[in-house]
Amino acid sequence: MAKTVAEKIFDAHRVDNPAGDMYVLGLDAVFCHEITTPVAINDLVRRGKDRVFDPSKIKAVIDHVSPAKDSKTAMQGKIMREWARRHNIEDFFDIGRNGVCHALFPEQGFVRPGYTIIMGDSHTCTHGAFGAFAAGVGTTDLEVGILKGVCAFRYPRSLKIEVTGGLPAGVYAKDLILSVIGRLGVNGATDRVIEFCGPAVDEMNMESRMTLCNMAVEAGATSGICYPDMTTVDYLWPFIKDDFDAPEAALAHYRKFLPDADAQYDDIVQIDAAGLSPQVTYGYRPDNVSPVSQMEGTPVDQVYIGSCTNGRLEDLRVAASVLSGHRISDSVRAIVSPATPEVYRGALDEGIIHTFMDAGFCVANPTCGACLGMSCGVIAEGEVCASTTNRNFYGRMGKGGTVHLMSPATAAATAIAGHITDSTLYEK
Amino acid sequence: MQNFGGNVLFLDRSDINTDEIIPARYLTEVSKEALKPHLLEDLNLEGFDPKVDIEEKQVIVTRSNFGCGSSREHAPWALELNGIHIVIAESFARIFRQNMYNCGMLAIDLPRNFVDRLFDEFSAFDTEIYADVEKSVLKVRGGGREAEIPFSISEFDRALVAAGGWVEYADSHY
Ligand code: SF4
């Protein structure tokens, strides 16, 4: 029978089929961070099951609030640290080496096409950019993942989003995914996997594909997936070069996770990228999406560039190219948080950090921080933040605050203008 | 198998997300108990006062896509700590639904006309709902009326509820 990518991955990882369409999958990796893992660790200890299925398949990071901001967050870090030590988890990223999980783990080469990955974090779908089935789960699923290396999912139905045409100037992967979410709605892909494909996706580098897959969950999807190709292999090559004679051989191997031509989809959505314009959210749902032109002039108090959606080097480059030669408006404050130490270093080497500082940005360390309203840029009641993150829920960045989601280019332009505006105004 | 139920809290809105159920600022708690007073603290719903309206409620009836957003299992825990073991909705976000069953609690999705009926006929009154998991039926009582509404629960979810959750089930099966 013809299969989708997710169906192929499920069939290759099936451990059990306990009932109906429930599949128990063997996991290739379990990712952990300090917000959802300590509760799982404590619960495993309480149950007398403080074990891990395979320390080499567990990757852990302290990223959400780093450095610790108070005694409670310090305790979360302590629990992670001690747990990683007692179970010999070598890939544990503590402060100094840490970065936002979904930016850090791909950069470290922990993802492969065809992998099954879970994490106690809804944006785990980001890793689908590599052709993996990667899904966010709750603490109990994470506990079982840590303990047994398995997780239960319904046999997946898929949705295909085919993007033709090229993205116009000033329009990025973020604008594309925002418009997709606006079209599908926050519930439009629930219990489904989204396959992103077509010439416009083929053209994208891995950073853009990660931005795309990152927000699949905002339409309710279990995972977003891009097809492995030479771009994927080139990105992974430093980590897989001992496993294959040549990049072509790696690609040939990964091709077995491409969908069959007559695979069945719940729906196939066609999008012409050439018709897109910069997008921004309004209100408190990620599917409240509007062209920037219609939100032009909306005042903001803070601009935030960072997160697992848009805190990678490419994002900082784009923002810096808009900022270069400008200063941010006196009416706003602006923060940039490079998502990982490697991104930070790259931005330093390329002079991007200088550009941000010259423009008047505060340069923060790699952390989730403000994205979920926990540190490093929490906004006050009634304040508005223009942000490159992925969630605009009421109070997400601080109680009573509003968030407008947008691309790094639009965020940079908004910082200069002091209100929401189109980045092409500052194109050189 | 357990039977669950009790007084109903009606939340007449779709897409209630986990940030509204339990705000991120309480995620630094490593003990579950500390979440208890903060359930639905940030819920954006006119006329709703968490301090008064949650009291003595054991069941939530709401619209579609309940529990969307962050994967935090703190959301079902905050419900559980407040004695709420059943959420009935038109649909759920995948992770939230799985988290409920993984904790041995019920997330019951009903067709839209049944949910409409619960709101139309019962939301103005003090209402009780009990779920008979064995027979897969909800018994509703309020405002002098009674109703029985069938629901479906998968074999696997039933096994999780019976085992007391996924950790126990997985550790004995795999
Ligand atoms: S950057 Fe934001 S969305 Fe991404 S993992 Fe961190 S808190 Fe979650």
Side-chain angles (χ1 to χ4, degrees):
Chain A
M1 216 194 76
K3 291 177 191 165
T4 62
V5 179
E7 286 171 339
K8 289 193 176 180
I9 297 176
F10 268 55
D11 292 350
H13 289 79
R14 177 185 175 282
V15 169
D16 190 15
N17 176 209
D21 62 350
M22 284 312 284
Y23 266 51
V24 175
L25 303 182
L27 299 171
D28 294 307
V30 176
F31 293 164
C32 299
H33 67 54
E34 91 282 15
I35 296 290
T36 49
T37 315
V39 246
I41 296 168
N42 284 351
D43 199 57
L44 287 169
V45 170
R46 184 184 63 81
R47 290 173 192 268
K49 300 179 196 287
D50 180 22
R51 311 187 296 269
V52 302
F53 80 110
D54 181 347
S56 72
K57 291 185 176 167
I58 295 181
K59 317 291 176 185
V61 65
I62 295 175
D63 63 350
H64 274 57
V65 186
S66 172
K69 64 169 176 150
D70 56 19
S71 309
K72 284 179 180 169
T73 48
M75 181 53 73
Q76 291 180 311
K78 180 170 190 269
I79 294 170
M80 287 289 281
R81 236 169 249 130
E82 290 176 352
W83 171 73
R85 212 168 286 147
R86 92 178 160 261
H87 295 293
N88 299 313
I89 295 167
E90 286 183 10
D91 293 314
F92 169 57
F93 296 84
D94 207 336
I95 188 157
R97 301 169 61 221
N98 64 350
V100 177
C101 49
H102 309 307
L104 180 76
F105 292 148
E107 198 183 82
Q108 295 291 330
F110 295 154
V111 187
R112 299 280 182 283
Y115 262 24
T116 49
I117 300 170
I118 62 163
M119 178 172 199
D121 190 285
S122 56
H123 294 103
T124 307
C125 50
T126 312
H127 309 284
F130 293 84
F133 174 79
V137 297
T139 300
T140 305
D141 276 339
L142 178 68
E143 251 180 89
V144 171
I146 289 169
L147 185 65
K148 306 301 264 185
V150 297
C151 193
F153 290 97
R154 283 189 181 160
Y155 198 70
R157 293 181 299 150
S158 297
L159 195 84
K160 183 147 107 174
I161 297 188
E162 218 164 354
V163 195
T164 54
L167 293 169
V171 179
Y172 300 89
K174 180 64 161 284
D175 301 299
L176 171 58
I177 188 64
L178 285 175
S179 82
V180 166
I181 295 160
R183 208 156 142 167
L184 296 178
V186 287
N187 204 8
T190 300
D191 266 325
R192 295 184 186 80
V193 171
I194 300 178
E195 287 182 14
F196 295 102
C197 61
V201 180
D202 297 342
E203 284 290 305
M204 287 182 188
N205 60 18
M206 291 314 297
E207 282 82 354
S208 292
R209 293 181 196 180
M210 284 190 253
T211 303
L212 211 54
C213 292
N214 176 271
M215 291 191 74
V217 71
E218 254 49 70
T222 306
S223 193
I225 287 183
C226 297
Y227 303 155
D229 60 7
M230 219 48 208
T231 307
T232 322
V233 171
D234 287 343
Y235 184 102
L236 291 175
W237 189 244
F239 310 104
I240 58 174
K241 62 181 183 335
D242 294 340
D243 303 337
F244 299 98
D245 293 334
E248 291 69 27
L251 183 58
H253 178 73
Y254 295 141
R255 274 187 186 284
K256 66 174 183 246
F257 295 109
L258 293 181
D260 294 322
D262 40 358
Q264 293 294 312
Y265 295 90
D266 274 14
D267 200 2
I268 298 178
V269 180
Q270 312 261 4
I271 294 179
D272 179 8
L276 288 174
S277 62
Q279 305 286 309
V280 58
T281 64
Y282 58 93
Y284 304 113
R285 286 165 45 146
D287 62 349
N288 289 346
V289 175
S290 134
V292 168
S293 55
Q294 283 175 30
M295 297 284 289
E296 173 76 40
T298 309
V300 306
D301 302 291
Q302 175 170 295
V303 173
Y304 183 79
I305 297 178
S307 87
C308 59
T309 320
N310 283 124
R312 300 185 183 80
L313 189 54
E314 172 194 68
D315 303 312
L316 270 46
R317 256 185 220 135
V318 166
S321 76
V322 174
L323 288 171
S324 162
H326 294 279
R327 277 198 61 83
I328 64 171
S329 161
D330 287 342
S331 64
V332 298
R333 55 190 192 271
I335 300 164
V336 56
S337 166
T340 70
E342 215 171 292
V343 172
Y344 203 149
R345 195 183 295 275
L348 276 171
D349 291 348
E350 294 185 22
I352 291 170
I353 296 296
H354 270 286
T355 308
F356 275 108
M357 294 188 79
D358 290 345
F361 266 69
C362 159
V363 182
N365 63 301
T367 181
C368 295
C371 171
L372 77 166
M374 289 187 76
S375 64
C376 260
V378 179
I379 55 175
E381 204 154 346
E383 284 193 322
V384 179
C385 185
S387 177
T388 68
T389 54
N390 49 33
R391 290 221 160 111
N392 59 345
F393 299 153
Y394 184 63
R396 169 80 177 178
M397 255 194 190
K399 195 174 169 124
T402 298
V403 177
H404 295 286
L405 307 176
M406 58 188 71
S407 75
T410 308
T414 298
I416 299 167
H419 52 77
I420 293 177
T421 196
D422 196 319
S423 69
T424 46
L425 291 177
Y426 301 98
E427 288 276 304
K428 280 158 212 94
Chain B
M1 196 168 284
Q2 291 167 273
N3 285 321
F4 306 80
N7 302 319
V8 179
L9 168 64
F10 287 92
L11 298 176
D12 194 1
R13 216 199 83 196
S14 289
D15 308 309
I16 292 176
N17 64 61
T18 52
D19 275 81
E20 292 176 292
I21 300 170
I22 186 79
R25 56 185 174 279
Y26 303 116
L27 300 188
T28 56
E29 304 293 349
V30 288
S31 99
K32 292 186 187 180
E33 268 304 314
L35 302 173
K36 188 175 174 187
H38 305 296
L39 177 67
L40 296 169
E41 192 173 284
D42 280 0
L43 179 65
N44 199 2
L45 180 66
E46 207 161 298
F48 175 75
D49 179 355
K51 288 191 196 67
V52 183
D53 296 341
I54 291 168
E55 208 146 308
E56 302 296 316
K57 300 294 193 319
Q58 289 81 31
V59 179
I60 286 177
V61 173
T62 183
R63 299 289 184 178
S64 67
N65 200 29
F66 187 80
C68 60
S70 142
S71 64
R72 66 191 66 153
E73 201 159 314
H74 304 70
W77 295 336
L79 293 171
E80 188 179 22
L81 287 161
N82 282 278
I84 297 171
H85 290 92
I86 307 182
V87 182
I88 298 166
E90 210 181 299
S91 62
F92 293 92
R94 177 192 64 87
I95 301 174
F96 178 84
R97 185 182 179 288
Q98 192 65 47
N99 286 344
M100 287 289 282
Y101 284 102
N102 282 347
C103 294
M105 300 198 286
L106 293 172
I108 297 172
D109 41 52
L110 292 180
R112 177 157 191 183
N113 56 332
F114 284 137
V115 173
D116 286 347
R117 202 176 138 202
L118 286 173
F119 274 98
D120 295 347
E121 295 182 18
F122 294 98
S123 64
F125 309 102
D126 287 338
T127 298
E128 293 175 12
I129 296 183
Y130 290 89
D132 184 332
V133 177
E134 211 135 0
K135 296 196 185 110
S136 298
V137 67
L138 296 172
K139 299 200 166 112
V140 191
R141 199 169 52 221
R145 281 181 224 242
E146 290 192 18
E148 288 208 358
I149 297 178
F151 67 92
S152 59
I153 171 170
S154 77
E155 226 181 295
F156 182 65
D157 289 337
R158 203 190 292 267
L160 291 184
V161 176
W166 172 229
V167 179
E168 297 304 330
Y169 183 97
D171 206 26
S172 62
H173 282 74
Y174 307 111

